[in-house]
Structure formats: C-alpha cells, structure tokens
Amino acid sequence: MAVISISRQLASLGDEVASRIAEKLGYKLVTKTDLEKRIVSLGFPENKLPKFEEKKLGFLTGLTNLRDEYLNCLMTAILEAAGENNTVIVGRDSFIILKDIDNHISIRCIAEEKLRIERIQKEYNLSAKKAEKKLFESENHQKSFHKGFFNFDANNPEMFDFVVNSSKLDVDSIADSIIALTKSFVTKEKEEAGQKKIDELLMGQRLVDILIFIYNLNIEYLRASLKDKKITLHGIADSQKTLDAALTIVEAELPDFEVENRMSVGRT
C-alpha cells in the first residue's frame, strides 16, 4: 500500500519505530545494512563502502567518480526496494530519492539532546563525555552525507511529512500514529501513480548505469528523468564527443522515446 521512509537522529528511537511499523503492518523492513548489500550486489566494491562512513565534513572532496558510482547504486537500491511496495526504508536519505512518489510518506524521528546522550550511555555503556562525543560525531556524519550527496539540511522540518519527538512518546504510540497517517493518506490511486513513477525512475537509473558502467562515458552528475514517452538527460560531459555518444546510445536503447538533452560540456 505504501512506502515509508524513516530518517532519524542517533538515539531518537527511529530504528525501533521503523521495526515496529513494519511488524504491525506486515511490511518489509529495509535497513541500512540491507541497502548496503543491495549496493554491493549492483557492482559497487564492498571494500569502498567505508569511504562513505567517514565522520568528517567534506569527506567527498576528490572522490567525484566514486561518489557518482556510489550514488547511482544507492538510488537504484532504494528505488528497487520501494518498487516492492509495502516497505519501511531506514536512512541513507531515502526520503529525498522518493520525495515525488505519490504513496511515499517521509518520517523524521528526533529527541532532546540530553535524553539522547543518556540513551547512548545506556546502550553502549559509555560515560557521559564519550556518549556526547559519539552523538557529535554522528551528527557531523549525517550533515556530511546530506550535504555531499543532496545538499540539504535534515533538520529542516519542511523536508518531511511527519516529524515526531520521542522524548515523551513511546515506540508503540509513535508507530501507531504513523500507521494511522499511512492508512488515511495512501489510496489505491496514489499507490498506482507511485508505482508508475518508481518504474520511470528505475528506467532512468538503469539508463544511467548503461552509459556510465557499460559504455564508460565520462559524464559527471548524470541523471535521466522519464515522464510518459520523454526522457531528459542532465549532466556534465568531458567533451562534445562524449555528449553526442550518450545521445546516440539513449536513442538506440529507447527508440520510442523523445530525448531532450540538458547536458553540458565542461571540465571533469
């Protein structure tokens, strides 16, 4: 019926809420670990995954090609998971990738800093000082990931359909509220429209994979958006020859589609 994405602060009970929603609705729970397994199965080198677990801001500097490869695999993994429908997807900015999906609901779990530090102390058996450090590192990591891939601030409530503070609410109460929202919001029409958009996004993503990984075209920030029978290409090619080759390949792969080029030529 729906695709629910959960974004969460560390120790805000977001993982517990996601698990409980999936359990109560009978949905499939897709965790960060599950997404990483999908990413590796799509061809991303497993030994490169730690590059995207760094804790310092600006860690993507100098990793443009690897970043694009990781992002392409991440987007495919999330879209494939969402395409299975009736899923709860945790983390990895899934709510950004799915933001235009009609039957998608984005949730942000937060909590007071003092309480989160206490929870971290208890869960990891840490002193208050070490728990505070762990919290600070986690928040820097999130900021870095959000900024490096999608250029947004996860603390902006406008990014989400529902923001919940777990400082005073228990996991079941939060889960029940989200389930009620889901049942009232998602209709059969929204589910069908959402599935159509996911299929279009997946087709565009697979086309990107063909151009980058099969034909090895040097195009940064390459994106392919589809709507009905029109496909639009965005990105920065290293030469006019590369740009022309991309257009030729797309026309051959999707002969029934109108192709709109919004790519440019620049230094990569």
Side-chain angles (χ1 to χ4, degrees), residues 211 217-219 233 236-252 259 261 263-265:
L211 294 174
L217 297 184
N218 192 0
I219 306 174
L233 298 175
I236 305 174
D238 64 346
S239 67
Q240 186 63 44
K241 182 179 179 181
T242 298
L243 190 154
D244 292 340
L247 294 175
T248 299
I249 293 167
V250 171
E251 289 170 355
V259 180
N261 174 41
M263 294 185 292
S264 60
V265 176

Side-chain angles (χ1 to χ4, degrees), residues 5 99 104-108 157-163 181 185:
S5 64
K99 66 183 179 66
H104 164 241
I105 297 176
S106 56
I107 310 297
R108 174 72 169 170
E158 295 179 4
M159 304 294 293
F160 302 95
D161 299 314
F162 190 83
V163 179
L181 171 65
F185 173 76

Side-chain angles (χ1 to χ4, degrees), residues 51-64 67 139-149:
K51 289 283 187 182
F52 302 94
E53 297 302 323
E54 297 286 348
K55 301 292 192 293
K56 296 179 181 179
L57 293 172
F59 73 90
L60 290 171
T61 303
L63 298 176
T64 301
R67 176 207 61 207
E139 291 182 343
N140 271 353
H141 174 206
Q142 284 196 341
K143 288 177 183 177
S144 185
F145 194 90
H146 301 327
K147 182 71 174 178
F149 283 109

